[in-house]
């Protein structure tokens, strides 16, 4: 037994293999540009949904970058504050521009958890930092309330600022005659 321990100390490669072997059950998945091995054979990739729009934000300063990268930032409107964002369509031409400045920006795909907004919903949408475009309920104006506010604004006997000041000034100057006009 002592002789085996001494052999392992002298030649450690005989007792353990230093090479990494992948199990035959995990087959390589080839994607454009890289190959990866699944950790578990039953693991499935999530369905890939292409986003129609990207939210692009500059995260690094543009000082000291070449002029062609500054031109791309200028085209996207990202030469201002670092917190400014640009909404860009997911087209091959725009993707090529974004690829040139990928080290200066953060790209977030815009998702629609409650469905895509319509023209009617444009005023009631909100874009969160994680790229979710949320729709809020539109407030519908009741016509009876609108007519009531118009009649109140056009009423001659209402107490507007000028009339109220005049009335209060009169009461201040004539304290004994309160309520008598």
């Amino acid at each position: 037994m002592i002789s085996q321990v001494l052999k392992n100390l002298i030649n450690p490669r005989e007792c353990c293999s230093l090479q990494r072997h992948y199990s035959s059950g995990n087959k390589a998945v080839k994607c454009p540009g890289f190959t990866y091995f699944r950790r578990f054979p039953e693991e499935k990739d999530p369905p890939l949904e292409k986003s129609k729009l990207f939210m692009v934000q500059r995260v690094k300063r543009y000082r000291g970058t070449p002029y062609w990268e500054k031109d791309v930032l200028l085209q996207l409107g990202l030469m201002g504050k670092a917190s400014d964002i640009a909404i860009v369509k997911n087209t091959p031409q725009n993707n090529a521009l974004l690829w040139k400045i990928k080290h200066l920006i953060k790209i977030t795909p815009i998702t629609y958890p409650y469905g895509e907004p319509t023209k009617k919903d444009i005023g009631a949408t909100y874009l969160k930092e994680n790229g979710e475009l949320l729709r809020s309920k539109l407030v519908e104006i009741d016509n009876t309330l609108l007519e009531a506010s118009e009649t109140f604004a056009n009423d001659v006997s209402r107490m507007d600022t000028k009339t109220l000041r005049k009335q209060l000034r009169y009461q201040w100057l004539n304290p004994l005659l309160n309520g008598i006009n």
Side-chain angles (χ1 to χ4, degrees):
M1 179 157 170
I2 295 174
S3 64
Q4 288 178 349
V5 172
L6 289 175
K7 282 182 182 179
N8 290 341
L9 288 176
I10 295 169
N11 194 0
R13 291 187 182 182
E14 290 181 5
C15 69
C16 60
S17 174
L18 296 177
Q19 293 180 347
R20 178 176 270 173
H21 295 286
Y22 295 106
S23 65
S24 60
N26 293 344
K27 294 188 177 182
V29 178
K30 293 191 176 189
C31 295
F34 64 93
T35 302
Y36 75 96
F37 293 87
R38 290 195 174 117
R39 190 168 184 179
F40 304 104
E42 64 274 356
E43 186 178 13
K44 300 290 182 194
D45 292 333
L48 181 65
E49 296 178 9
K50 291 186 177 180
S51 176
K52 291 182 179 180
L53 299 172
F54 290 135
M55 179 175 67
V56 181
Q57 181 179 12
R58 184 173 54 87
V59 292
K60 291 190 178 176
R61 42 187 280 184
Y62 57 85
R63 287 179 123 178
T65 59
Y67 70 91
W68 57 86
E69 291 176 0
K70 289 180 183 177
D71 289 343
V72 174
L73 287 172
L74 189 64
Q75 285 178 1
L76 295 175
L78 295 173
M79 290 290 278
K81 296 186 294 184
S83 61
D84 290 345
I85 62 168
I87 307 299
V88 180
K89 279 186 177 181
N90 184 5
T91 61
Q93 181 182 6
N94 288 339
N95 290 343
L97 287 176
L98 295 175
W99 182 262
K100 291 178 184 177
I101 57 168
K102 65 185 176 293
H103 56 285
L104 299 173
I105 59 175
K106 177 178 83 171
I107 302 171
T108 308
I110 295 178
T111 58
Y112 310 103
Y114 303 121
E116 290 188 21
T118 60
K119 286 185 179 181
K120 183 180 175 185
D121 298 332
I122 292 296
T125 56
Y126 176 72
L127 182 61
K128 292 173 68 175
E129 288 183 15
N130 62 357
E132 291 182 345
L133 186 70
L134 302 176
R135 292 186 306 176
S136 61
K137 292 183 179 178
L138 288 176
V139 179
E140 294 182 10
I141 299 173
D142 190 12
N143 288 334
T144 57
L145 295 175
L146 188 60
E147 291 172 3
S149 65
E150 286 178 6
T151 56
F152 177 74
N154 296 333
D155 189 14
V156 178
S157 64
R158 74 180 174 94
M159 296 293 272
D160 61 346
T161 308
K162 187 176 178 181
T163 309
L164 189 60
R165 280 189 183 166
K166 183 179 174 184
Q167 197 72 3
L168 291 174
R169 178 76 175 158
Y170 180 76
Q171 288 178 4
W172 178 261
L173 293 175
N174 303 314
L176 298 175
L177 302 174
N178 271 346
I180 303 173
N181 288 341

